[in-house]
Structures are given as structure tokens and as C-alpha cells.
Amino acid sequence: MTAATLTLRPATDADLPALARLMSGANPRHPVTPQTWAQEIAELRGHPLGLHFTQWLAEQDGQPVGTALTLHLAGMHHPDRYWAEVLVPPPHARRGVGGRLAATLEAHLQARGAREVLSGAYEDEPWALNFLTRRGFSETMRYFDNVLDMAEFDASAWAEESQLPDGLRAVSLAELMAQVGVDAAVTAFHAAFAEVREDVPRSGVATPLTLEVFRARLKGPQFFPEGILLAVTDAGEVVALSELRPNDSDPARLDTGLTGTRRAWRRRGLALALKLAALRLAGDMGIREVWTGNADTNLPMLALNERLGFCPRPAFIEMRWGGV
């Protein structure tokens, strides 16, 4: 491949199938379907903060070979902070595609006056880390994928830890919706979710999560109310949660969303009890693997996952250029 034969253009909604294939090929650990990516783009475009999003497609003789994207982070928003990615699957890598995409991306961010850019790569991809280092990026955090082989998980060994304290009951979001109505259930779920996520380790200050934005999050193809386990008081307050969501590309895999407990209710084993309920559900569904992700600074959750039998995979290294 030569640079003269490579063309770059802004991606359109018609390119979603090709974009999903490229993104999944470049990061097979976390594949994405056209439906899921379309939903994520829709959430960005419809966000009340007016988030920026742009994606490009690289083509060789009319065939998609790579993509680059940049966006404002909804969960950690600053108008001059951007997330950026260059994604080239192995068959097309090291042929100049990534360099051309990066140059286009850098020019776009420079024109927008970006003061901070976040990106990253896995620790077993030294070429990608070097690609970022050469462009002035340095490490900020590490995130571990932790994977549980359900064939190795024995729910009966956790009978005592599976029990919630008196005054609390474990229900799924689907069950809570049936009991109190959709609006009341989502409002109670949001109150807990919004508080718990504020304490999740990240490289910037968390943006408050409004109920409006939260409702939009529940409309995607990965919304699985039966897999959202909640600890609820007699008064109807949600005080802890553990989320499972389907993996669109692998029906035998479930991914973990947020797990945690509201501040006033911590150190009572609620998160562990709900996580165990989620894993029992996964076992009943015949799931092969459950994946979860944790920052290297989240020592309590890393220790909990290790106790449960989750095994760490190579870390994703978040890197930063500049700062706000």
C-alpha cells in the first residue's frame, strides 16, 4: 500500500457496518456491533451538553482499512478535553494508514483548540503505546479486564455472603419496574447510580449524571433490566447495584457495568451479595464468561474480583496529551 492510494473521508451513518468491523478488528477484546455504535453516537449527538463527535474512514481501493474518531467525554466533560482513537485492524496495520489518520485527527483537534487529549492502548501492544508516546502522550491510569470462567465458579461456596442484611431485598430492575412502575423504578435506580459513579476512579472530575441523560442510556440494545440487580430498602430506596449487560458479538458472554454501594451503606457486603446474585443469574443463563473492568487504583474491587475467581487480562493504559 502506498500513501497515494489511500483516501480518507468523514464517516456517515451508512458506514456503520464497516466502522463496527474495523473497530472490532482493532480491539477484539471489546467488539462493537453497528446497532450498539449507532446508539452510542446518538447519545453523543443528543446530549444536552452539546458534545462533539467526529469519525473518519480510511479506504484502500474502496475497501475500509481503518478509522479514527474524537469525541467529548460525557462522563468527564470539559469543552477542551477530547478522547481520540486511531483504529487499524492487524491486516492493514504498519502500512501508513494509522499515520495518515493520526495526522487528520491532530489537525482537527488543533483547529478546535484542544488543550487535553486522552487515548490509550493495551500493554501487550507496544507499537501502539510507542505511537502515542512519539506524539507526546504519557500514562495516566491503567484499567484491567477481569474475566470469570463460569465453569470455575461455585455459587454454593458463597451462600453466607449472598444474604443481604435485614431490611433490604434484592430485586432486578425489571422486577422493580413491575412492582412500582417504570418511572419510579428508573428514578430510584438513577439516584443510586449517580452517587456510586462519582467515586469510580477516573483521570478527571466526574460530570454529574442527570436523570434525562440516564434515561437515554437505558434505551440502547445492551439494556438488560433483568441483569441489573439492586438492593432496595423497605421505603423503596436503591442503596446498591450490580449491572450485567449482554455482549452483542458473543451470546455466551456477559459484560459487567457499574457495581457499587451508596456511601451511607458501605462496608456491609451489599456489593458482594448483588454481584453473587448476578453471577447466579449468569450461571442460570448458561453464560460461558463474565467480563468486568477496573482501574488499577480501585483496590477493593480488584480484590473482590480476585476472591470471586476473575482473572486479569492485559491492562489498557490510558494516556494523556496536554491538560485542563
Side-chain angles (χ1 to χ4, degrees):
M1 182 186 300
T2 63
T5 66
L6 186 67
T7 60
L8 271 61
R9 62 173 176 82
T12 69
D13 289 347
D15 297 315
L16 282 169
L19 295 172
R21 286 195 301 271
L22 290 168
M23 295 166 73
S24 299
N27 185 7
R29 299 169 173 91
H30 295 282
V32 62
T33 65
Q35 295 77 18
T36 299
W37 189 230
Q39 174 64 25
E40 293 189 25
I41 293 172
E43 290 180 25
L44 289 166
R45 290 173 174 167
H47 199 284
L49 288 175
L51 303 179
H52 177 70
F53 170 75
T54 301
Q55 188 165 15
W56 296 267
L57 181 65
E59 295 175 308
Q60 165 70 27
D61 297 331
Q63 297 301 311
V65 293
T67 182
L69 62 93
T70 185
L71 53 86
H72 278 140
L73 293 161
M76 201 172 68
H77 180 256
H78 186 288
D80 297 328
R81 175 189 289 130
Y82 296 82
W83 178 263
E85 287 187 82
V86 174
L87 297 160
V88 181
H92 310 296
R94 306 187 187 189
R95 300 181 183 181
V97 178
R100 284 282 304 278
L101 285 166
T104 299
L105 186 54
E106 289 166 357
H108 178 81
L109 290 169
Q110 184 177 22
R112 290 190 60 85
R115 294 165 52 204
E116 179 177 321
V117 182
L118 295 170
S119 189
Y122 286 91
E123 62 181 344
D124 60 351
E125 298 172 339
W127 61 90
L129 295 170
N130 291 336
F131 184 90
L132 291 168
T133 300
R134 290 196 304 270
R135 286 163 172 78
F137 286 78
S138 58
E139 180 175 338
T140 56
M141 295 184 69
R142 294 189 175 215
Y143 298 88
F144 288 98
D145 283 327
N146 290 277
V147 182
L148 176 63
D149 182 348
M150 289 301 298
E152 304 295 326
F153 178 70
D154 180 9
S156 64
W158 296 88
E160 182 176 347
E161 292 87 348
S162 298
Q163 302 303 311
L164 288 172
D166 291 342
L168 296 176
R169 59 193 177 97
V171 296
S172 70
L173 179 60
E175 291 169 331
L176 191 62
M177 287 175 166
Q179 293 168 7
V180 303
V182 173
D183 285 345
V186 169
T187 300
F189 177 31
H190 165 260
F193 188 100
E195 180 180 316
V196 170
R197 70 175 283 277
E198 288 181 355
D199 296 331
V200 173
R202 68 188 77 217
S203 55
V205 178
T207 304
L209 179 66
T210 67
L211 182 57
E212 174 190 4
V213 172
F214 186 71
R215 289 184 186 277
R217 178 181 179 272
L218 303 182
K219 296 178 181 178
Q222 291 183 312
F223 179 49
F224 179 37
E226 294 80 8
I228 299 172
L229 284 302
L230 310 171
V232 183
T233 68
D234 293 336
E237 180 187 8
V238 176
V239 297
L241 59 107
S242 185
E243 297 182 298
L244 286 176
R245 51 179 179 245
N247 184 282
D248 291 347
S249 300
D250 185 351
R253 165 179 163 180
L254 288 174
D255 296 329
T256 304
L258 183 63
T259 295
T261 304
R262 302 187 77 164
R263 298 180 188 108
W265 290 83
R266 290 177 184 167
R267 303 190 185 281
R268 305 187 197 184
L270 308 189
L272 174 56
L274 291 181
K275 191 144 190 166
L276 290 168
L279 293 177
R280 287 196 302 272
L281 173 64
D284 293 342
M285 294 172 60
I287 295 299
R288 182 187 72 253
E289 291 180 337
V290 175
W291 285 55
T292 187
N294 302 109
D296 61 351
T297 55
N298 194 350
L299 299 180
M301 192 56 69
L302 286 170
L304 172 59
N305 287 327
E306 184 178 359
R307 284 180 60 200
L308 290 169
F310 283 83
C311 296
R313 299 289 175 90
F316 180 83
I317 302 176
E318 181 186 276
M319 303 182 75
R320 174 195 286 131
W321 171 91
V324 295

